[in-house]
Amino acid sequence: MSYEYPNKKCLSKKVIVTISGTAILLIVCFLLFGPHKLIRDTDSIQYIRMKYYGRKIADENIDAEALSGILSSVWCRRIYGFPIYSATEDVVELDFIADGKPVHMIFGKYNYCYHSAGIYREYEILNSKKIYSEIVSSIPVTANKKLD
């Protein structure tokens, strides 16, 4: 003896709605937490401030055009946050405005950036080793020495 569902059309609608809802939820999660470029428009990067081992690099020593090119290739993904650690572990800090929002980027023990307020404001930099080496190579030789 087999059990027959009272209304097969009703069951198939429920399955379709469940599958559609799950697909929409997965797409939204991927869009929020999937890898993406941090900066959409390279021309929107303004006012770059840089610190190297806690020492501010003078504005006239920063090649803004070269740094804009480097920063436009940053790929990241949204994360919940990083553990608290000492700021002395930071090697390079960058502050700038991109796409109309302030951005703070840190390279050191952890490589991340953030540019908004809220619980999911941190972004892990996915290509951090490449970006870090390009940024350090763009720093003038006179400022490219670790402070004792």
Side-chain angles (χ1 to χ4, degrees):
M1 180 188 256
S2 65
Y3 177 77
E4 294 213 14
Y5 295 103
N7 188 350
K8 289 184 180 180
K9 284 187 176 183
C10 181
L11 180 65
S12 65
K13 285 181 184 178
K14 287 181 183 178
V15 170
I16 290 171
V17 167
T18 303
I19 290 172
S20 300
T22 304
I24 290 170
L25 183 65
L26 288 173
I27 290 169
V28 167
C29 286
F30 181 76
L31 291 175
L32 285 176
F33 296 98
H36 64 280
K37 282 192 128 182
L38 178 69
I39 300 165
R40 294 185 195 115
D41 183 16
T42 307
D43 296 332
S44 73
I45 297 175
Q46 305 168 354
Y47 182 72
I48 300 174
R49 183 184 71 87
M50 182 189 305
K51 282 186 174 180
Y52 185 67
Y53 282 103
R55 173 193 236 172
K56 184 181 183 317
I57 305 297
D59 293 341
E60 61 270 5
N61 290 335
I62 296 174
D63 184 357
E65 190 173 311
L67 264 178
S68 293
I70 294 168
L71 295 174
S72 67
S73 64
V74 171
W75 279 86
C76 61
R77 68 182 173 102
R78 193 179 301 252
I79 55 173
Y80 183 69
F82 278 97
I84 297 173
Y85 68 99
S86 170
T88 59
E89 296 170 342
D90 297 340
V91 177
V92 175
E93 284 185 70
L94 290 168
D95 293 307
F96 55 94
I97 297 172
D99 299 327
K101 299 176 184 174
V103 179
H104 185 71
M105 191 173 288
I106 297 173
F107 294 92
K109 184 175 181 181
Y110 300 102
N111 302 311
Y112 67 99
C113 59
Y114 55 89
H115 66 81
S116 63
I119 192 166
Y120 294 108
R121 67 183 185 152
E122 282 96 5
Y123 293 85
E124 176 185 16
I125 302 170
L126 299 176
N127 55 345
S128 60
K129 289 181 181 177
K130 175 184 175 269
I131 299 297
Y132 170 75
S133 65
E134 289 178 8
I135 289 173
V136 169
S137 67
S138 75
I139 297 173
V141 178
T142 56
N144 199 358
K145 296 178 183 168
K146 184 176 177 180
L147 299 175
D148 294 326

